[in-house]
Amino acid sequence: NAGVTQTPKFRVLKTGQSMTLLCAQDMNHEYMYWYRQDPGMGLRLIHYSVGEGTTAKGEVPDGYNVSRLKKQNFLLGLESAAPSQTSVYFCASKQNYGYTFGSGTRLTVV
Amino acid sequence: GIQVEQSPPDLILQEGANSTLRCNFSDSVNNLQWFHQNPWGQLINLFYIPSGTKQNGRLSATTVATERYSLLYISSSQTTDSGVYFCAVEVSGNTPLVFGKGTRLSVIA
């Protein structure tokens, strides 16, 4: 039972490049989330999904898109990366009140 | 939206000391959780505690929902307790967790 798996773990992008972060969970959870963590800011919600085929905006959605085509996967896309998107990205899934977080993706945009 | 404030922002302890971390929130919640982020970045769920008191070894937590605050107690601290402690709340079952900015704890041997 792997829980929540994020790929890649590290990535360096040039300004303007695009990429997709993948989150996969094997617990059959309905709810999935993408957060970003910046120094001194805690975790801030980017987008979330309450089930397969659904997505919703969080606190800081600008510059990101998401898709939940399959229940177990939640993809976070950056169409044109900017230095302000340098951050650590965490994916999470939830069933009832229990949250499981992935180990994070450290993204640097230069 | 709901505001979550944690105090203190930073805390340095000698090994063996006790500490209390506080979380204030601005609205009624149906879910409150405490997390520990270890020095490697992993987020570990410590407590689900929307009200009442729970204990798990040297850690315990109390939430007074009517007064909108929660406390996390760490007794006999160890160096492995170092990291960042986050409080996070849900207003309802369908709303995502909102995090505080965390308390950074450093335990020195």
Side-chain angles (χ1 to χ4, degrees):
Chain A
N1 190 342
V4 176
T5 303
Q6 292 184 231
T7 53
K9 295 192 184 309
F10 303 93
R11 184 73 185 269
V12 178
L13 283 181
K14 293 183 178 179
T15 297
Q17 286 185 320
S18 64
M19 78 163 294
T20 300
L21 283 68
L22 171 63
C23 176
Q25 53 99 358
D26 60 2
M27 298 168 287
N28 204 35
H29 287 178
E30 290 292 337
Y31 296 77
M32 296 187 73
Y33 309 87
W34 277 107
Y35 289 88
R36 60 177 287 174
Q37 184 178 19
D38 302 296
M41 297 294 292
L43 277 76
R44 293 182 293 168
L45 183 68
I46 305 171
H47 286 279
Y48 65 103
S49 169
V50 299
E52 180 178 317
T54 75
T55 63
K57 293 181 179 180
E59 179 187 356
V60 289
D62 293 344
Y64 305 95
N65 56 75
V66 287
S67 65
R68 183 102 181 266
L69 298 179
K70 294 183 179 181
K71 187 177 184 179
Q72 64 268 35
N73 295 334
F74 195 27
L75 279 63
L76 178 70
L78 288 73
E79 291 186 348
S80 180
S84 61
Q85 294 178 303
T86 293
S87 189
V88 181
Y89 292 85
F90 286 95
C91 176
S93 68
K94 183 186 89 163
Q95 191 77 354
N96 297 321
Y97 295 110
Y99 281 79
T100 303
F101 279 81
S103 57
T105 295
R106 185 172 295 275
L107 175 65
T108 302
V109 183
V110 298
Chain B
I2 192 168
Q3 303 298 311
V4 182
E5 296 184 356
Q6 292 186 242
S7 59
D10 296 281
L11 187 59
I12 300 175
L13 294 177
Q14 202 74 31
E15 198 170 27
N18 302 328
S19 62
T20 301
L21 283 59
R22 187 176 179 103
C23 172
N24 292 333
F25 44 96
S26 61
D27 205 346
S28 299
V29 300
N30 80 329
N31 183 357
L32 186 146
Q33 305 205 359
W34 283 97
F35 292 87
H36 175 220
Q37 186 173 39
N38 64 26
W40 296 271
Q42 184 66 37
L43 282 158
I44 307 298
N45 190 292
L46 298 175
F47 293 103
Y48 159 68
I49 186 165
S51 63
T53 297
K54 290 186 178 180
Q55 181 158 4
N56 184 1
R58 296 180 296 102
L59 273 61
S60 64
T62 294
T63 297
V64 183
T66 53
E67 298 187 22
R68 299 180 183 169
Y69 73 88
S70 183
L71 302 174
L72 178 69
Y73 305 97
I74 304 174
S75 64
S76 304
S77 58
Q78 301 175 357
T79 55
T80 53
D81 295 330
S82 295
V84 183
Y85 290 81
F86 289 105
C87 170
V89 302
E90 277 182 1
V91 173
S92 72
N94 288 329
T95 60
L97 277 179
V98 176
F99 282 77
K101 293 184 178 181
T103 292
R104 181 174 297 278
L105 175 65
S106 300
V107 181
I108 301 171

